[in-house]
């Protein structure tokens, strides 16, 4: 039987390697929803204005104002403890009114999980939140715990604008990929590299008969 050219074999081996690493990546993908409660009014607000420019009051988009948040994240759209909705964490950080033409916020926050499946882990989120749009996409730039080395995005969709009671409710759909390398302090990633070299070598050698 005529043996295939070495070049063709190498190409096949590299394709196999690429397919196996693509499958590994997919294994670290997680998606879930949480509901963000931004309480600006009432006796116990969770969002307070901490800074603004002299012109922020007269700006139609509150340009220059900065708000600190410690907003509850719940499993359902209702307040924690109402129906089946429970608190799973807090959104902590700031949002800045960063647009002079529309309500465009710069969100700089951590999702800090304190209960449920992701208890003890956090996600760092950074992005533009044009609050009057239906779906706003922001970046996940990192994380801690099970979300170490995270990357991904969230999609925010307002459920209740808060016009009546001062509590805005926003559904956040979280889409996150982790390498899962952190579980063994980077060991997994190292082993994965060795496995890849092993796959390539055995593919190459195995084809030599
Ligand atoms: C880590 O990998 C396991 C399967 O290997 C998966 O079940 C888990 O969801 C992953 N963790 C994250 C945060 O993606
Ligand atoms: C902006 O308005 C608030 C009340 O709405 C007031 O307390 C504050 O002093 C104003 N700030 C400036 C810089 O005018
Ligand atoms: C979350 O994790 C912490 C630390 O491990 C633990 O003390 C706490 O009981 C957990 N909370 C829930 C609601 O699971």
């Amino acid at each position: 039987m005529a043996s295939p050219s070495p070049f063709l074999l190498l190409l096949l081996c590299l394709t196999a390697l690429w397919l196996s690493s693509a499958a590994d990546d997919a294994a670290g993908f997680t998606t879930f929803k949480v509901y963000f409660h931004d309480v600006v009014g009432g006796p116990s607000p969770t969002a307070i204005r901490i800074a603004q420019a002299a012109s922020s009051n007269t700006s139609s988009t509150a340009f220059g104002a900065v708000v600190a948040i410690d907003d509850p994240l719940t499993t359902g759209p209702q307040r924690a403890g109402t129906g089946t909705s429970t608190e799973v964490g807090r959104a902590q950080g700031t949002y800045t009114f960063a647009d002079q033409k529309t309500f465009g916020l710069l969100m700089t926050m951590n999702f800090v999980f304190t209960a449920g499946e992701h208890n003890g882990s956090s996600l760092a989120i950074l992005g533009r939140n044009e609050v009057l749009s239906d779906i706003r996409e922001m970046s996940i730039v990192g994380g801690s715990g099970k979300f170490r080395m995270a990357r991904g995005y969230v999609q925010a969709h307002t459920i209740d604008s808060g016009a009546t009671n001062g509590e805005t409710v926003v559904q956040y759909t979280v889409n996150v990929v982790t390498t899962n390398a952190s579980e063994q302090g980077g060991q997994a990633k190292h082993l994965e590299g060795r496995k890849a070299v092993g796959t390539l070598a055995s593919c190459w050698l195995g084809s030599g008969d």
Side-chain angles (χ1 to χ4, degrees):
M1 177 175 96
S3 33
S5 83
F7 176 74
L8 183 64
L9 281 174
L10 182 63
L11 199 65
L12 286 171
C13 289
L14 286 174
T15 307
L17 181 62
W18 178 77
L19 285 175
S20 73
S21 66
D24 286 347
D25 266 356
F29 179 78
T30 309
T31 182
F32 60 95
K33 290 186 198 311
V34 286
Y35 294 82
F36 168 103
H37 300 256
D38 195 58
V39 185
V40 296
S44 38
T46 62
I48 54 171
R49 194 177 283 208
I50 54 168
Q52 64 182 347
S55 58
S56 296
N57 274 0
T58 51
S59 161
S60 62
T61 62
F63 177 62
V66 181
V67 175
I69 59 171
D70 180 16
D71 285 350
L73 295 172
T74 59
T75 55
Q78 303 87 9
R79 273 195 178 186
T82 313
T84 56
S85 185
T86 60
E87 184 171 317
V88 288
R90 312 289 284 196
Q92 298 176 336
T94 57
Y95 55 77
T96 303
F97 289 81
D99 193 310
Q100 293 181 277
K101 295 207 172 77
T102 184
F103 287 105
L105 308 180
L106 168 64
M107 309 295 289
T108 314
M109 62 184 173
N110 288 316
F111 277 10
V112 182
F113 297 100
T114 52
E117 203 185 336
H118 311 301
N119 185 13
S121 298
S122 71
L123 288 170
I125 295 167
L126 180 74
R128 171 172 160 81
N129 184 3
E130 192 181 333
V131 295
L132 299 179
S133 309
D134 185 28
I135 307 282
R136 295 88 69 182
E137 191 165 304
M138 290 160 254
S139 307
I140 293 173
V141 296
S144 69
K146 69 189 285 192
F147 294 131
R148 274 183 200 165
M149 318 279 279
R151 59 201 157 88
Y153 63 98
V154 296
Q155 286 183 317
H157 167 66
T158 303
I159 302 284
D160 182 339
S161 70
T164 53
N165 62 359
E167 175 171 341
T168 303
V169 181
V170 181
Q171 178 192 68
Y172 273 79
T173 303
V174 176
N175 299 283
V176 59
V177 175
T178 52
T179 60
N180 251 338
S182 55
E183 280 170 10
Q184 292 152 21
Q187 280 278 330
K189 190 78 191 166
H190 179 64
L191 289 175
E192 209 164 302
R194 279 173 41 185
K195 193 179 83 188
V197 172
T199 306
L200 190 57
S202 63
C203 177
W204 181 255
L205 293 172
S207 63
D209 44 16

